[in-house]
């Protein structure tokens, strides 16, 4: 079991993230006029293919509906001749202007793209210009419709061998182009200067740390110092090794215990805490057990027995760890993961809150 | 004694600003659903302020917060707001109008080089096709497909060729709709194809232009051999001045793509392709509109107007119209500014 394993369940929840490595590879930045870069994730090739499929299905349905409606109304009126002309026109318009119309109207989205949560943006960060929309969709003619007509319905036996060979080569080139560049551009994107990025609508969920933020009044004694994180040497209630960083008297974590993990582990823990579902309790119990083992938690292993205890423990640990790491970040130290800035795991444990959501038995 | 809350700075940070984030999110959601114009005036005024505040929240959050959910939320919200704030202001109709007034003619003027090159290939095709068919009528069958010829072959009598020019293929008024729309969608398809094929280094585009020229030249040679040259030119002129111009524009657009790949300017190949590709896309959209006009002329005017002088007048007038439109429209200061905004 590796810590780099992606969190398969977590990735689908609204507040979740893909793994750090995958993120960095597909991350693209656009500098806003305000000088703050916005970070976008390139859309997956599969997502884009699915979006096109949805759009094609809609186009076919629209075509059938329109043609039927035209044929019906006009033959009712007794001018069936015009119906054929109108039908040709409508099918032409749908075929060539469906994508253009929606991408102009919805600022880079079509119904398929909207369903998949992806959109077209300008690579330079400007607004999506009409010329770009035209170009990228006109190229569909050779990228999409040519292969489609080749695969369905057109008999190639009539034309000569080398023409077939060239055409198939061209089709293969166009279809494979997105796999051969790191920006996943198809020919249309190249010509129009666009990216297709995923634009998920992230929801603002409750802060996981909020639950463990106790009412100040409930904290007993005056020994807890809010500034102790910064000082680093302030004495806590249960300072066993090093200065204690105490947020919560019931879970007195020491500085050493909080030094073990990094940001990656913290955010994975966040995912674990946000998980909902029948297995989430079990996962949390397992993760709590591992953390307790790893940090040598000496305050009993109640967490392993009880779902509620486990969640309380994890929340407290999350809050403490976040406070610790954020404080270090203020001093310019960003500890990306548990391996960063360490010569070797002194506690030797190979487990961590990797939060891959697997039930205990499988790991 | 300080509270435990104060030790989580990111928690405090979120609590203080969450309200304005939510307000922006609500505004953006409405704008995405029904367009920016559906927002009341006061919201429109607040939008940029809220956007900037949230963007600064994002930048602070990146520095101090490790709450992945908050970071993701702000990241996504800022992106959505960014598209609304810096998106195009004009409505679809306004953009179409500006496209017709400035964008299209400016694109034609900008790409006159490749357009002339595409024209050259077509003219070359016409000349070669004409000369070859003149020397040996058998060439005619090579250049003109059976379906395209429609009985207009060297084997046909002069009388039937002449009648073909003046009767019109479908003189029943009802059939004209079909004919016109068929011609339009067929030609526009070819035009778009010629553009898209420019991506294959322009070779298919050039071949397409040349081949079109050959066909035309072969027709000319056939009718010339029967002394019907001027009748044929008149017949073609009605829609041909519009249609051939549009086809040549499409070919020019394709060559723009090719030249951006083969001869990138000072920028990288990808950037120059992106920049010139956009201009070419504008060109093609205009050409498709022209082909629509050509389809109407071909479907109706050519079938209904059988007087040769009238045909020349219509064709000539269309040519003058297009050329002066390309040369003059959108040159004013307003157009210049609009065009700069576009680029």
């Amino acid at each position: 079991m590796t810590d780099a394993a992606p969190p398969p369940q977590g990735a689908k929840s609204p507040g979740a993230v893909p793994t750090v490595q995958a993120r960095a590879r597909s991350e693209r930045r656009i500098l806003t006029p305000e000088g703050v870069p916005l970070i976008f994730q390139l859309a997956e090739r599969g997502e884009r293919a699915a979006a096109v499929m949805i759009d094609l299905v809609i186009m076919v349905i629209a075509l059938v509906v329109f043609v039927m409606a035209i044929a019906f109304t006009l033959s009712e009126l007794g001018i069936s001749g015009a119906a054929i002309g109108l039908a040709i026109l409508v099918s032409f318009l749908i075929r060539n202007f469906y994508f253009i119309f929606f991408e102009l109207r919805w600022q880079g989205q079509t119904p398929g793209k909207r369903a998949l949560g992806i959109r077209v943006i300008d690579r330079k960060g400007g607004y999506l210009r009409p010329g770009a929309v035209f170009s990228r969709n006109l190229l569909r003619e050779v990228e999409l419709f040519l292969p489609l007509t080749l695969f369905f319905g057109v008999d190639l036996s009539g034309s000569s061998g080398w023409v077939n060979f060239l055409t198939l080569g061209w089709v293969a080139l166009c279809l494979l182009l997105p796999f051969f560049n790191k920006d996943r551009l198809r020919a249309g994107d190249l010509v129009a200067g666009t990216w297709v990025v995923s634009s998920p609508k992230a929801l603002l969920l409750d802060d996981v740390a909020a639950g463990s933020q106790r009412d100040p009044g409930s904290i007993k004694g005056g020994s807890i110092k809010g500034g102790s994180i910064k000082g680093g040497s302030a004495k806590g209630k249960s300072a066993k090794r090093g200065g204690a960083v105490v947020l919560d008297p019931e879970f007195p974590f020491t500085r050493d215990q909080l030094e073990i993990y990094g940001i990656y582990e913290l955010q994975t823990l966040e995912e674990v805490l946000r998980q909902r579902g029948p297995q989430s309790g079990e996962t949390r119990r397992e993760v709590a057990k591992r953390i307790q083992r790893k940090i040598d938690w000496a305050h009993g292993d109640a967490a392993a027995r009880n779902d509620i205890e486990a969640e309380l423990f994890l929340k407290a640990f999350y809050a403490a760890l976040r406070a610790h790491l954020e404080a270090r970040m203020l001093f310019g130290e960003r500890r990306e993961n548990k391996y960063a800035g360490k010569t070797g795991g002194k506690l030797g444990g190979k487990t961590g809150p990797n939060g891959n959501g697997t039930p205990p038995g499988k790991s | 004694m300080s509270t435990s809350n104060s030790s989580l700075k990111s928690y405090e940070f979120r609590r203080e600003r969450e309200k304005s984030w939510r307000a922006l999110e609500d505004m953006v959601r409405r704008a995405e659903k029904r367009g920016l114009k559906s927002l009341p005036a006061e919201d429109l005024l607040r939008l940029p302020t809220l956007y900037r505040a949230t963007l600064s929240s994002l930048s602070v959050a990146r520095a101090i917060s490790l709450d992945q959910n908050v970071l993701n939320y702000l990241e996504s919200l800022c992106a959505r707001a960014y598209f609304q704030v810096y998106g195009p202001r004009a409505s679809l109709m306004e953009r179409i109008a500006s496209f017709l007034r400035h964008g299209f003619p400016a694109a034609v003027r900008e790409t006159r080089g490749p357009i002339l090159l595409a024209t050259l290939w077509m003219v070359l095709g016409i000349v070669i096709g004409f000369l070859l068919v003149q020397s040996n009528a058998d060439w005619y069958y090579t250049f003109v497909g059976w379906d395209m010829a429609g009985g207009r072959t060297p084997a046909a009598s002069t009388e039937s060729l002449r009648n073909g020019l003046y009767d019109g293929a479908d003189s029943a008024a009802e059939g004209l709709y079909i004919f016109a729309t068929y011609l339009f969608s067929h030609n526009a398809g070819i035009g778009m194809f010629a553009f898209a094929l420019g991506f294959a280094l322009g070779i298919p585009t050039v071949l397409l232009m040349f081949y079109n020229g050959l066909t035309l030249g072969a027709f000319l040679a056939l009718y010339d051999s029967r002394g019907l040259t001027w009748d044929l030119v008149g017949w073609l002129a009605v829609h041909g001045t519009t249609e051939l111009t549009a086809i040549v524009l499409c070919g020019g657009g394709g060559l723009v793509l090719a030249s951006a790949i083969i001869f990138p300017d000072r920028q990288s190949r990808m950037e120059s392709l992106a920049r010139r590709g956009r201009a070419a896309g504008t060109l093609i959209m205009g050409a498709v509109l022209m082909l629509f006009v050509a389809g109407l002329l071909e479907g109706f005017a050519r079938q209904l107007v059988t007087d040769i002088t009238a045909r020349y007048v219509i064709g000539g007038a269309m040519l003058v119209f297009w050329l002066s439109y390309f040369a003059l429209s959108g040159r004013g200061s307003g157009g210049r500014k609009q065009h700069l905004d576009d680029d």
Side-chain angles (χ1 to χ4, degrees):
Chain A
M1 152 182 250
T2 60
D3 286 318
Q9 288 182 4
K12 290 291 162 242
S13 69
V17 275
T19 56
V20 177
Q21 295 92 324
R23 268 179 83 85
R25 224 180 13 249
S26 62
E27 213 170 78
R28 294 293 178 273
R29 278 156 194 271
I30 278 176
L31 195 66
T32 58
E34 289 79 12
V36 179
L38 285 179
I39 302 175
F40 291 93
Q41 298 288 323
L42 290 178
E44 297 292 328
R45 298 170 184 101
E47 287 177 323
R48 298 178 61 179
V52 167
M53 289 299 165
I54 294 175
D55 284 326
L56 285 178
V57 168
I58 295 175
M59 283 166 78
V60 169
I61 293 173
L63 194 64
V64 170
V65 168
F66 268 111
V67 169
M68 298 260 278
I70 289 166
F72 181 74
T73 47
L74 290 188
S75 66
E76 284 286 291
L77 295 170
I79 36 173
S80 55
I84 303 170
L86 211 52
I88 293 174
L89 190 64
V90 164
S91 61
F92 172 82
L93 290 178
I94 289 178
R95 173 181 160 155
N96 290 292
F97 290 96
Y98 170 88
F99 287 101
I100 292 176
F101 174 79
F102 280 111
E103 283 184 11
L104 281 178
R105 230 22 231 279
W106 290 357
Q107 293 177 15
Q109 288 195 310
T110 59
K113 287 194 181 70
R114 200 169 253 202
L116 269 288
I118 59 180
R119 76 186 306 155
V120 182
I121 63 167
D122 185 84
R123 284 210 291 267
K124 286 277 174 60
Y127 79 89
L128 193 62
R129 295 182 196 82
V133 172
F134 296 151
S135 302
R136 76 185 301 281
N137 289 307
L138 285 171
L139 276 191
R140 277 185 209 278
E141 197 63 39
V142 290
E143 279 183 297
L144 181 65
F145 294 119
L146 184 66
L148 279 182
T149 40
L150 283 181
F151 288 131
F152 305 106
V154 173
D155 186 16
L156 281 175
S157 58
S159 49
S160 60
W162 69 275
V163 169
N164 294 349
F165 181 73
L166 277 184
T167 317
L168 286 177
W170 171 259
V171 167
L173 184 76
C174 282
L175 287 180
L176 295 179
L177 191 62
F179 292 91
F180 285 111
N181 63 78
K182 61 179 171 22
D183 284 10
R184 300 172 195 166
L185 305 175
R186 62 174 183 87
D189 290 317
L190 273 176
V191 166
T194 49
W195 275 323
V196 180
V197 296
S198 68
S199 59
K201 282 185 189 166
L203 301 175
L204 186 57
L205 307 174
D206 287 335
D207 196 325
V208 177
S212 71
Q213 301 281 311
R214 296 297 167 88
D215 187 349
S218 75
I219 295 173
K220 297 158 285 182
S223 62
I224 304 145
K225 289 196 170 63
S228 62
I229 313 164
K230 286 181 203 160
S233 62
K235 289 279 177 287
K237 196 174 170 185
S238 55
K240 281 191 177 146
R241 348 167 182 161
V245 181
V246 185
L247 283 164
D248 191 329
E250 279 181 44
F251 296 98
F253 297 106
T254 66
R255 166 166 286 268
D256 274 359
Q257 283 171 330
L258 298 179
E259 294 270 295
I260 293 171
Y261 294 113
I263 293 171
Y264 175 74
E265 287 78 22
L266 176 78
Q267 290 176 345
T268 317
L269 179 58
E270 184 188 333
E271 274 168 42
V272 170
L273 282 168
R274 288 195 197 282
Q275 258 182 39
R276 294 285 170 269
Q279 298 218 313
S280 59
E282 206 177 345
T283 310
R284 279 197 274 273
R285 229 163 49 212
E286 174 72 7
V287 170
K289 205 155 67 183
R290 280 191 205 156
I291 294 177
Q292 290 187 349
R293 215 182 310 142
K294 179 135 185 172
I295 67 172
D296 282 341
W297 183 243
H299 298 262
D301 60 346
R305 288 194 303 268
N306 185 326
D307 277 7
I308 300 166
E309 289 285 327
E311 195 168 343
L312 274 179
F313 169 79
L314 286 180
K315 277 189 173 170
F317 186 67
Y318 172 81
L321 184 58
R322 199 170 111 195
H324 177 67
L325 290 172
E326 283 178 356
R328 285 184 63 171
M329 215 157 75
L330 283 181
F331 290 102
E333 282 178 76
R334 239 187 111 88
R335 186 148 188 259
E336 290 302 339
N337 57 47
K338 64 180 181 183
Y339 303 114
K342 258 192 173 182
T343 47
K346 67 171 178 175
L347 287 159
K350 62 180 168 63
T351 53
N354 56 14
N356 56 8
T358 44
K362 287 183 194 159
S363 55
Chain B
M1 180 185 111
S2 62
T3 69
S4 61
N5 277 350
S6 70
S7 60
L8 254 184
K9 290 224 162 24
S10 56
Y11 181 79
E12 280 298 297
F13 163 79
R14 169 183 170 162
R15 243 192 26 197
E16 278 165 21
R17 291 166 180 77
E18 190 174 333
K19 231 175 117 189
S20 73
W21 301 345
R22 298 266 189 208
L24 179 67
E25 186 188 7
D26 174 60
M27 225 177 259
V28 168
R29 191 185 318 112
R30 277 182 289 147
E32 279 173 350
K33 221 171 242 166
R34 282 189 292 274
L36 209 52
K37 297 206 163 157
S38 70
L39 296 184
E42 53 193 302
D43 279 0
L44 277 179
L45 282 176
R46 273 178 71 212
L47 180 66
T49 324
L50 280 176
Y51 158 72
R52 266 166 212 133
T54 309
L55 201 61
S56 102
S57 291
L58 170 66
S59 140
V60 173
R62 275 180 189 152
I64 69 153
S65 178
L66 289 173
D67 187 338
Q68 193 63 36
N69 175 249
V70 165
L71 285 170
N72 283 346
Y73 170 78
L74 286 176
E75 205 78 68
S76 136
L77 179 59
C78 285
R80 287 163 66 196
Y82 172 73
F83 291 124
Q84 295 300 333
V85 172
Y86 289 106
R89 295 261 168 250
S91 73
L92 200 60
M93 284 327 267
E94 284 165 343
R95 271 187 280 165
I96 290 174
S98 120
F99 164 81
L100 288 178
R101 267 202 300 274
H102 319 290
F104 178 38
V108 173
R109 285 197 295 274
E110 229 167 68
T111 41
R112 55 182 177 273
I115 292 170
L116 284 180
L117 194 62
T119 317
L120 204 69
W121 277 101
M122 190 180 263
V123 171
L124 198 67
I126 293 174
V127 172
I128 292 178
F130 184 83
L131 292 178
L132 282 176
V133 173
Q134 208 176 33
S135 65
N136 183 353
D138 284 344
W139 279 106
Y140 184 87
Y141 298 101
T142 316
F143 300 147
V144 183
W146 189 253
D147 51 333
M148 201 174 186
R152 293 169 289 189
T153 65
S157 72
T158 306
E159 198 53 37
S160 75
L161 286 180
R162 175 191 293 280
N163 289 343
L165 294 184
Y166 290 102
D167 287 353
D170 307 75
S171 35
E174 207 172 66
L176 294 185
Y177 293 107
I178 309 169
F179 194 48
T181 49
Y182 166 75
L183 288 169
F184 161 62
S185 52
H186 175 252
N187 293 335
I190 288 183
M192 291 180 182
F193 207 52
F195 165 70
L197 285 173
F199 194 69
L201 301 185
I203 298 163
T205 308
V206 167
L207 287 179
L208 208 61
M209 293 296 119
F210 185 65
Y211 184 77
N212 258 323
L214 284 180
T215 313
L216 209 57
F219 263 123
L220 276 174
L222 170 67
Y223 283 84
D224 186 56
S225 67
R226 313 293 171 89
L228 290 170
T229 318
W230 294 112
D231 303 82
L232 178 73
V233 172
W235 181 76
L236 281 172
V238 178
H239 68 286
T241 46
T242 305
E243 186 180 302
L244 291 179
T245 313
I247 293 278
V248 160
L249 291 189
C250 291
L255 292 182
V256 168
L257 291 193
S259 76
I261 298 174
I262 304 171
F263 313 110
D265 32 41
R266 254 177 270 170
Q267 303 147 313
S268 77
R269 190 160 268 131
M270 234 167 81
E271 273 181 40
S272 71
L273 184 59
R275 197 174 53 81
R276 295 196 230 166
R278 280 197 291 260
T282 313
L283 191 69
I284 306 309
M285 271 304 110
V288 168
L289 281 181
M290 285 178 70
L291 286 169
F292 185 69
V293 175
L296 292 180
L297 285 172
E298 191 173 5
F300 293 95
R302 188 180 71 185
Q303 310 300 326
L304 302 175
V305 180
T306 50
D307 179 54
I308 186 161
T309 323
R311 281 179 172 180
Y312 273 108
V313 168
I314 295 175
M318 289 313 291
L319 188 63
V320 169
F321 168 72
W322 290 120
L323 290 183
S324 51
Y325 168 62
F326 295 145
L328 302 173
S329 185
R331 264 199 199 278
S333 55
R336 182 94 201 123
K337 191 178 162 294
Q338 179 79 27
H339 178 60
L340 287 177
D341 286 350
D342 266 5
D343 209 39

